[in-house]
Amino acid sequence: MALPPQILIVGGGVFGLSTALALSRRHPISHVTLLEASSTIPNPEGSSVDTSRIVRADYSNPVYAKLAATAIERWRNTEWGHDGRYTQNGLLLAYPDGHAQGKEYTIKSYYNVKELEGQNVELLPSKRDVLRVAQAYGEELNVAGGYVNWGSGWSDAEAAVRYAKKKLDEAGKVSFQTGNVRSLLYGDPSSPRKVTGVTLADGASITADLVILATGAWTSKLVDLRGRVVATGQAIAYMRISDEEQRRLEHMPTILNFCTGIFIIPPRNNLLKIARHAYGYHNPISVPVPVPGNQRGTAATMDVSLPEPGAPIPREGEEAFRSALNQLLPTFVDRPFSGTRVCWYTDTPKGDFIITYHPDQPGLFLATGGSGHAYKFFPVIGDKVVDALEGNLEPELRDLWSWPAAVDVAEFKGTEDGSRSGPKGLLLMEELAKTQKMQRSSLL
């Protein structure tokens, strides 16, 4: 299927770059422009830019497990994984006593990945078995069982984004522009719902026959996705460690505890990362309701959760990390963090991506809804996006990634796929205000 001659991709993260690579290879006649808000790619505020991201085929849903296995083959055996961009150290999924949801997700995931990885996967039915595999972690680890998949690993996320951008630069088939999108641009009165480009914050516009929004957690500002997408902020912290500590921990498997959502990826260059895969923080902001055909906007507003660039993690997140370190790495529990950040997921109700044409805005395609697990698909997701653009996406993926039905906004606090934990509905600004109040009190 031929695609339109002028294609605009908005967003230079995983979805945007991977799609640009696939389009430049499969549709060289189309002129592809990639618009990124940051003057640099990687965008330092982007969710896909970090020291590390887990690369795993460990899913309770066999469709994602199969696709992830294809991606992992690329990480292992092609340039995607070269020069330290991929490290295969294993993944330990653990659950504590009494956590039925975590145990169910783990067992389903175990059987799915066992079919794919075979001898790389070992069931760990007891705490003793878990500690045997994770000897560097503390004896106080609150686990009842789990499994380890030695075929999983992690990727240097920032390095992989740089690699993808370099590949596009070398091919020279994609044009890059910088600008913040204020709104979508629509057609004339005869076709008022047709998307014909974007309007930038400075008033300039970029036109295209097809607009692909790969804008992650910012997408809800451009398209009304209430009940379909919510941006959630996830806590991340970093800690400097010694050479001896680096040697002791660097070959350990990544450990993910489904009770807390907290995971630790083995360190590199004496930097240890601890993060949380949870329901996260919301940051409701009042923005104009995007109305197709209304170029000037509308008086109506809506509250949507949007990223807060540069925000540190609240005290609540730091305390959760200290509690986890007390179990996992007790000698580190009082060590100061060298830095913290909030990483913004684009959550959908079930954790399924949205990779589809907008149902009633012609000329608009969405590639978003990563839900905290899209990065690992970097080497292959662009081809799946192009398959969907052409109408050739496999039925099982088309069904997962089609336009979702909206759920109750009041009840939608984040992805419910069995992998999340922690409190629901935390508000970032409220938690930061509590943090500041505690800090002031400690000085009195």
Side-chain angles (χ1 to χ4, degrees), residues 225-230 232 279 346-354 369-371 373 400 402-409 411-420 424:
L225 293 173
R226 285 174 290 181
R228 295 180 172 91
V229 162
V230 63
T232 62
Y279 291 105
T346 314
D347 280 350
T348 62
K350 297 180 180 179
D352 296 321
F353 309 152
I354 301 176
S371 303
H373 68 104
L400 281 179
S402 62
W403 187 255
V407 300
D408 185 344
V409 174
E411 298 296 323
F412 182 23
K413 304 302 182 184
T415 291
E416 296 283 3
D417 65 351
S419 72
R420 302 295 179 92
K424 297 182 180 181

Side-chain angles (χ1 to χ4, degrees), residues 254-375:
T254 297
I255 184 167
L256 171 57
N257 185 332
F258 276 122
C259 176
T260 61
I262 289 175
F263 60 93
I264 295 178
I265 295 178
R268 176 178 286 179
N269 299 326
N270 300 83
L271 188 66
L272 181 73
K273 169 184 167 181
I274 181 169
R276 184 170 62 180
H277 180 72
Y279 291 105
Y281 306 108
H282 288 208
N283 187 39
I285 303 291
S286 181
V287 300
V289 177
V291 177
N294 187 347
Q295 309 290 10
R296 297 179 178 274
T298 174
T301 61
M302 61 180 183
D303 285 346
V304 295
S305 181
L306 293 174
E308 183 67 25
I313 66 171
R315 180 73 171 267
E316 178 274 337
E318 181 169 342
E319 289 178 347
F321 287 159
R322 296 293 177 193
S323 176
L325 286 170
N326 192 46
Q327 288 189 29
L328 293 165
L329 298 167
T331 58
F332 293 177
V333 69
D334 294 321
R335 188 174 303 184
F337 292 124
S338 59
T340 69
R341 64 175 294 213
V342 177
C343 174
W344 291 93
Y345 287 2
T346 314
D347 280 350
T348 62
K350 297 180 180 179
D352 296 321
F353 309 152
I354 301 176
I355 299 179
T356 188
Y357 287 97
H358 194 287
D360 61 4
Q361 295 186 36
L364 178 62
F365 187 96
L366 283 82
T368 189
S371 303
H373 68 104
Y375 174 84

Side-chain angles (χ1 to χ4, degrees), residues 89-92 133-134 137 148 150 249 251-255 264-266:
N89 65 297
L91 173 66
L92 170 59
V133 169
Y137 297 123
V148 64
W150 295 110
L249 295 173
H251 298 300
M252 294 298 294
T254 297
I255 184 167
I264 295 178
I265 295 178

Side-chain angles (χ1 to χ4, degrees), residues 71-229:
I72 289 174
E73 189 278 331
R74 300 276 186 92
W75 287 112
R76 289 172 179 166
N77 300 315
T78 72
E79 286 189 357
W80 278 97
H82 291 181
D83 300 321
R85 288 187 289 271
Y86 176 68
T87 300
Q88 188 164 304
N89 65 297
L91 173 66
L92 170 59
L93 271 69
Y95 56 86
D97 278 321
H99 199 274
Q101 179 175 286
K103 182 176 182 179
E104 180 183 8
Y105 185 97
T106 302
I107 297 303
K108 286 182 178 179
S109 178
Y110 167 77
Y111 284 111
N112 286 334
V113 81
K114 183 71 173 177
E115 289 188 13
L116 298 169
E117 291 286 348
Q119 296 301 312
N120 280 332
V121 185
E122 178 186 356
L123 187 65
L124 305 172
S126 70
K127 177 177 179 177
R128 177 180 296 179
D129 293 308
V130 172
L131 292 177
R132 170 175 53 81
V133 169
Q135 296 178 15
Y137 297 123
E139 290 286 337
E140 300 303 316
L141 193 61
N142 178 24
V143 295
Y147 75 88
V148 64
N149 174 12
W150 295 110
S152 291
W154 61 274
S155 168
D156 183 332
E158 182 173 349
V161 170
R162 292 187 188 280
Y163 168 72
K165 175 62 163 58
K166 181 182 177 183
K167 287 186 67 175
L168 287 167
D169 288 340
E170 290 173 348
K173 297 179 180 179
V174 174
S175 301
F176 289 87
Q177 293 192 36
T178 301
N180 283 290
V181 175
R182 184 179 68 198
S183 63
L184 296 175
L185 188 65
Y186 293 93
D188 58 36
S190 65
S191 53
R193 303 187 72 84
K194 179 176 174 56
V195 175
T196 59
V198 296
T199 301
L200 305 182
D202 63 4
S205 61
I206 302 174
T207 59
D209 302 303
L210 173 65
V211 175
I212 301 172
L213 287 185
T215 39
W218 293 99
T219 309
S220 294
K221 186 178 180 180
L222 303 174
V223 181
D224 189 350
L225 293 173
R226 285 174 290 181
R228 295 180 172 91
V229 162

Side-chain angles (χ1 to χ4, degrees), residues 9-21 34 168 212 214 367 378 381:
I9 301 171
V10 184
V14 166
F15 280 108
L17 291 172
S18 189
T19 299
L21 285 167
L34 192 151
L168 287 167
I212 301 172
F378 204 168
I381 196 65

